[in-house]
Amino acid sequence: MEVFINKCSSCSVPRFDTKLRFTLVVFEIALILLCFLAINAESHDHQLQQQSAERGSENVISHSCIHDQIIEERKRPGRQGRALLGIPESSLQQKDVKQPIRIFLNYDAVGHSPERDCRKVGDIVKLGEPPVASLPGTACNPYGDPPLYGDCWYNCTVDDISGKDKKHRLRKALGQTSDWFKRALAVEPVKGNLRLSGYSACGQDGGVQLPRGYVEEGVADADLVLLVTTRPTTGNTLAWAVACERDQWGRAIAGHVNVAPRHLTAEAETLLSATLIHEVMHVLGF
Ligand SMILES: *[C@@H]1O[C@H](CO)[C@@H](O)[C@H](O)[C@H]1NC(C)=O
C-alpha cells in the first residue's frame, strides 16, 4: 500500500491528489474489510465442517448396536458387582426397571424321555445318537471318556433310575439354583406371558418336546423356562444344559437342563448345586 501511495503521490496530477488519496484510503479500508470478512467466512466454514464432522461421528455412535451400550454399561465399575450382589439400590429408580430373573422349571419330561430315560435295571438307552444297527457294539462305558458327546448305548443300573428320593433332590437343587439367580441376576422382565416358538424339541440329545401351551398361550411370570430331564451320562458329568431359544437381545428364554440320576445323591448335593449354577450360567450366555 505504502509503495502504491508513494508512487502515486509522485504522479503529475496534483489536482486529483487529495481526492485520489481519499479514494485510496476508502479502497484500503474496503480491502481490509473484505480481507477480514473473507478470513471470518473461511473460519466459519471450517467450524461448520468440523461441526458436521462431529455430528457425523455422533450419528455413527448412536446408530451402533444397543449391545455396545449394554457392554459399556456392564464395564462401568460397580455395576456388575451390584447386579451380582443383587442390591436393588438405585437400579430401581432407573427408567428400565430391572427385576430378579424368574426361572420357570418344568419337570414333565423327568422319567418320560422315550429311549433315553432309565426306567428299570438293564434298560438299554441312547446317549447321543448311536447308530441303531450297532447295538450292542457301541456300549457306553459309564465311567469312561468321552463323558458327554459319546454316541453309545447305555445299560441302565439301579443308580440311573430316578426314584422318589432322587426326584426330590433334583427339585431341591434346581429350586436352589433358581433362587440363587433370583438374588444374583436382574433382568428387564418379560411383559405378559413368555411365549416360545414352535420348536419340535428344545435341547440336546433329542431334547424335550415343548408343551403346546408354551407356544400358544405362553408361560406366566417367567423370564426363562428350563425343561428338566434326568438321563444318564458317562464319566463324571453331573449335569449339562443348553439354551434352545433366545429373544431378540440374545437372552435365553428357554433351555434344557439334564441332571444324571447317578449323581443325585446326598453326598453330591453341594457339588450338584454349584454345577447347576454353572450350567444355567451357560444357558444364559455367560
Ligand atoms: C447290562 O448289564 C447287566 C448287568 O451288569 C448285564 O447282565 C446285561 O447283560 C447288560 N446288557 C447288555 C445288553 O449288555
Side-chain angles (χ1 to χ4, degrees), residues 121-122 124 136 155-156:
V121 177
I124 306 294
N155 187 348
C156 298

Side-chain angles (χ1 to χ4, degrees), residues 113-119 124-127 132 153:
S113 302
E115 304 183 292
R116 293 184 182 276
D117 265 321
C118 289
R119 294 178 211 198
I124 306 294
V125 296
K126 278 182 177 179
L127 243 79
V132 178
W153 294 97

Side-chain angles (χ1 to χ4, degrees), residues 57-86:
S57 67
E58 268 170 32
N59 280 347
V60 170
I61 290 166
S62 65
H63 286 162
S64 69
C65 189
I66 189 142
H67 287 124
D68 294 345
Q69 286 174 27
I70 294 166
I71 288 163
E72 280 308 308
E73 285 278 286
R74 282 192 186 150
K75 277 187 200 156
R76 267 165 45 193
R79 172 136 187 138
Q80 203 167 16
R82 193 170 68 218
L84 281 175
L85 291 169

Side-chain angles (χ1 to χ4, degrees), residues 21-149:
R21 265 175 183 269
F22 179 72
T23 312
L24 276 171
V25 168
V26 170
F27 182 64
E28 201 177 343
I29 291 165
L31 211 69
I32 290 165
L33 265 173
L34 265 174
C35 244
F36 180 75
L37 283 174
I39 290 165
N40 219 21
E42 201 187 351
S43 77
H44 186 64
D45 213 29
H46 190 65
Q47 272 174 2
L48 273 181
Q49 276 176 9
Q50 216 168 19
Q51 268 176 8
S52 67
E54 270 166 19
R55 220 171 294 148
S57 67
E58 268 170 32
N59 280 347
V60 170
I61 290 166
S62 65
H63 286 162
S64 69
C65 189
I66 189 142
H67 287 124
D68 294 345
Q69 286 174 27
I70 294 166
I71 288 163
E72 280 308 308
E73 285 278 286
R74 282 192 186 150
K75 277 187 200 156
R76 267 165 45 193
R79 172 136 187 138
Q80 203 167 16
R82 193 170 68 218
L84 281 175
L85 291 169
I87 299 163
E89 265 185 15
S90 58
S91 61
L92 281 176
Q93 289 154 17
Q94 285 173 2
K95 254 185 280 168
D96 54 329
V97 181
K98 292 201 162 61
Q99 298 287 339
I101 188 166
R102 299 163 297 171
I103 299 178
F104 184 90
L105 296 157
N106 177 307
Y107 296 97
D108 293 350
V110 171
H112 295 105
S113 302
E115 304 183 292
R116 293 184 182 276
D117 265 321
C118 289
R119 294 178 211 198
K120 59 181 197 300
V121 177
D123 272 354
I124 306 294
V125 296
K126 278 182 177 179
L127 243 79
E129 292 298 337
V132 178
S134 71
L135 186 84
T138 48
C140 303
N141 175 2
Y143 308 101
D145 289 326
L148 179 53
Y149 294 107

